[in-house]
Amino acid sequence: TYRDGFYALFTASLFQSEYRGSDGVWRNTAFNSQYIGNALFGKEFRVGNNLVLTFDTKLSVSGGRWFTPIDLAQSMAFGDEVYDETQPYSRQYPAFFRWDAKAGLRYNTRRLTHHLFLDFTNLTNRRNVYAYRYFQGLNTISTQYQLGFTPDFVYRVQF
């Protein structure tokens, strides 16, 4: 929706994503997070005929993705990551949460639109799990995380 310079967008999905293996057993797929939700709120302020000041914020949530666990003993023996294929997609990463915010200027010309903005990703600096990986140097399984708080300066031209 858009009214008086305010805009909002809400999305939500509830789902079950499974497959049946050649053994006839139903299992989760990697994408069976079971829910995803987004909420976006923003406000635009006209500063002149062609210039608009924009502010928005977005919240994203999702259940964790499913993964096949790493077989640590086999990984150590082989010297590389080996998955326990007897347990496909049997473990789930923690749920995902991220809060972003953006402030910027939009300048409209006859044939182009210029966007100049500061984008702040993951305001809460939440350590969302990206993956678990075998680390050969220490013979252990380590956690890899997605990016934490990330400010970004962006200039974009649309034509």
Side-chain angles (χ1 to χ4, degrees):
T1 56
Y2 185 85
R3 183 178 178 159
D4 298 326
F6 287 96
Y7 54 93
L9 176 68
F10 302 96
T11 64
S13 295
L14 299 173
F15 55 91
Q16 190 72 21
S17 177
E18 297 177 324
Y19 73 97
R20 184 175 9 203
S22 58
D23 58 2
V25 176
W26 283 96
R27 294 183 176 88
N28 293 302
T29 70
F31 309 103
N32 192 19
S33 63
Q34 300 173 330
Y35 66 91
I36 295 175
N38 294 287
L40 171 73
F41 303 95
K43 171 73 171 144
E44 294 184 345
F45 301 92
R46 284 216 170 271
V47 180
N49 286 340
N50 298 331
L51 191 61
V52 178
L53 184 61
T54 64
F55 297 97
D56 64 45
T57 189
K58 177 181 164 189
L59 293 170
S60 299
V61 296
S62 167
R65 293 176 297 123
W66 290 82
F67 66 96
T68 301
I70 296 169
D71 184 326
L72 183 58
Q74 288 295 316
S75 297
M76 290 169 57
F78 187 67
D80 200 3
E81 203 166 76
V82 176
Y83 295 98
D84 182 354
E85 297 297 341
T86 66
Q87 300 182 56
Y89 303 109
S90 61
R91 306 266 171 83
Q92 190 175 23
Y93 292 116
F96 174 91
F97 172 81
R98 195 170 88 189
W99 177 27
D100 302 335
K102 184 169 33 178
L105 289 169
R106 185 177 69 235
Y107 182 70
N108 299 313
T109 65
R110 191 171 150 198
R111 297 182 186 203
L112 296 173
T113 299
H114 302 268
H115 297 264
L116 184 66
F117 56 90
L118 281 170
D119 193 3
F120 301 99
T121 304
N122 197 0
L123 287 168
T124 62
N125 200 30
R126 181 179 166 110
R127 292 172 50 104
N128 288 303
V129 174
Y130 175 70
Y132 300 123
R133 296 284 184 235
Y134 171 67
F135 187 60
Q136 184 178 5
L138 297 176
N139 285 326
T140 187
I141 297 172
S142 65
T143 304
Q144 292 182 324
Y145 296 96
Q146 296 184 11
L147 288 176
F149 173 70
T150 309
D152 197 9
F153 179 74
V154 179
Y155 172 67
R156 179 174 55 209
V157 177
Q158 288 180 289
F159 51 92

